[in-house]
């Protein structure tokens, strides 16, 4: 009926990293969704990330492209070498005619997360920091999620509001871990998106398998302008 149709679909996005912020932003632009984000500590981890034209097009679709481009630098070359410096591939991208932005850029994660968080909050999405989605029970038409507040390391990240949600009806404590000071509430959502990273407590409560170690190690760093250096180089070495 019309009254049921007017009730928004309640969505929980677990994880306020780049993926979670982008998902919350996109969902908030679709009518009929009430979106909430939870994250124990949403501070960006890592140095920089490369964004190709596909990613930039997606950011343009959620009106975040301009601040991201302002904080980025073009990265049009792909240069891969063996450990001894032998070039395996060295190509330079060409930006397609009519495309209003570079075909690939590098941006630091703090700037990218900050732009996404600012846009999400401007759209009225609630960000609850210091809160983790620790378990899920699937029920007819939705899911009941265990939300743990007071998680160690829960601090505000780029543009995020801090503190657990204290609005009426948000859920009453059903248990607490006295050793850690963590308090658990159970809340029902129509849709749950797991974007809480490789150590996801939410995923572990649903799937038996754990992330598989690929036995690969990547080391990367950023630097200021260096005379004669106009692109980055990737060195590949076999597993020791």
């Amino acid at each position: 009926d019309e009254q049921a149709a007017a009730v928004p679909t309640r969505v929980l996005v677990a994880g306020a990293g780049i993926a979670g912020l982008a998902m919350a932003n996109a969902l908030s632009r679709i009518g009929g969704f009430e979106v909430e984000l939870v994250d124990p500590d949403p501070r960006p981890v890592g140095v920089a990330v490369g964004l190709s034209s596909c990613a930039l097009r997606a950011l343009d679709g959620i009106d975040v492209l301009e601040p991201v481009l302002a904080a980025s630098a073009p990265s049009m070359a792909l240069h891969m070498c063996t450990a001894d410096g032998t070039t395996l591939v060295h190509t330079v991208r060409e930006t397609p005619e009519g495309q209003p932005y570079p075909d690939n850029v590098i941006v630091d994660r703090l700037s990218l997360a900050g732009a996404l968080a600012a846009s999400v909050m401007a759209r009225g999405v609630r960000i609850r920091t210091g809160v983790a989605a620790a378990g899920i029970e699937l029920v007819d038409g939705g899911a009941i999620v265990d939300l743990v507040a007071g998680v160690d390391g829960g601090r505000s990240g780029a543009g995020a509001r801090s503190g657990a949600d204290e609005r009426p009806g948000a859920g009453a404590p059903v248990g607490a871990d006295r050793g850690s000071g963590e308090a658990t509430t159970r809340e029902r959502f129509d849709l749950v998106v797991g974007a809480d990273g490789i150590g996801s407590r939410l995923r572990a409560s649903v799937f038996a398998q754990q992330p598989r170690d690929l036995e690969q190690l990547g080391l990367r760093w950023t630097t200021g302008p260096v005379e004669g250096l106009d692109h980055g180089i990737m060195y590949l070495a076999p597993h020791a």
Side-chain angles (χ1 to χ4, degrees):
D1 56 25
E2 292 184 4
Q3 184 176 0
V7 177
T9 299
R10 193 174 183 217
V11 181
L12 174 71
V13 179
I18 292 170
L21 288 167
M23 173 63 76
N25 193 316
L27 287 175
S28 71
R29 295 169 184 274
I30 303 174
F33 287 99
E34 177 186 299
V35 186
E36 297 185 26
L37 269 163
V38 297
D39 197 304
D41 187 353
R43 294 176 301 180
V45 176
V47 180
V49 60
L51 300 176
S52 68
S53 57
C54 294
L56 295 174
R57 190 178 308 118
L59 292 175
D60 194 18
I62 56 176
D63 297 328
V64 187
L65 179 61
E66 185 175 340
V68 171
L69 287 180
S72 70
S75 178
M76 306 297 283
L78 173 63
H79 193 171
M80 303 177 69
C81 298
T82 60
D84 64 5
T86 302
T87 293
L88 297 173
V89 60
H90 185 188
T91 62
V92 178
R93 294 175 182 247
E94 296 291 339
T95 297
E97 184 177 354
Q99 182 171 292
Y101 42 77
D103 211 46
N104 194 70
V105 301
I106 296 292
V107 63
D108 69 275
R109 291 176 183 267
L110 182 61
S111 296
L112 176 57
L116 287 167
S119 178
V120 162
M121 294 183 64
R123 300 194 61 79
V125 174
R126 179 178 292 110
I127 302 178
R128 299 159 63 178
T129 62
V131 178
I136 185 171
E137 175 187 351
L138 301 180
V139 296
D140 289 342
I144 298 175
V145 181
D146 296 327
L147 297 176
V148 182
V151 179
D152 290 343
R155 289 181 288 272
S156 299
R161 280 180 277 188
S162 62
D165 184 14
E166 298 179 354
R167 62 189 173 87
V174 297
D177 181 340
R178 295 185 180 181
S180 64
E182 297 180 355
T184 302
T185 63
R186 306 197 81 202
E187 297 189 34
R188 182 184 175 110
F189 296 89
D190 301 301
L191 175 65
V192 179
V193 178
D196 47 346
I198 193 170
S200 170
R201 298 168 72 173
L202 190 62
R203 182 176 57 243
S205 72
V206 177
F207 302 105
Q209 69 268 28
Q210 296 297 316
R212 181 167 57 92
D213 186 359
L214 297 178
E215 297 185 347
Q216 294 181 350
L217 175 65
L219 301 175
R220 61 187 304 180
W221 62 93
T222 58
T223 181
V226 176
E227 185 177 355
L229 181 64
D230 60 1
H231 66 275
I233 302 175
M234 289 184 282
Y235 291 89
L236 307 179
H239 187 272

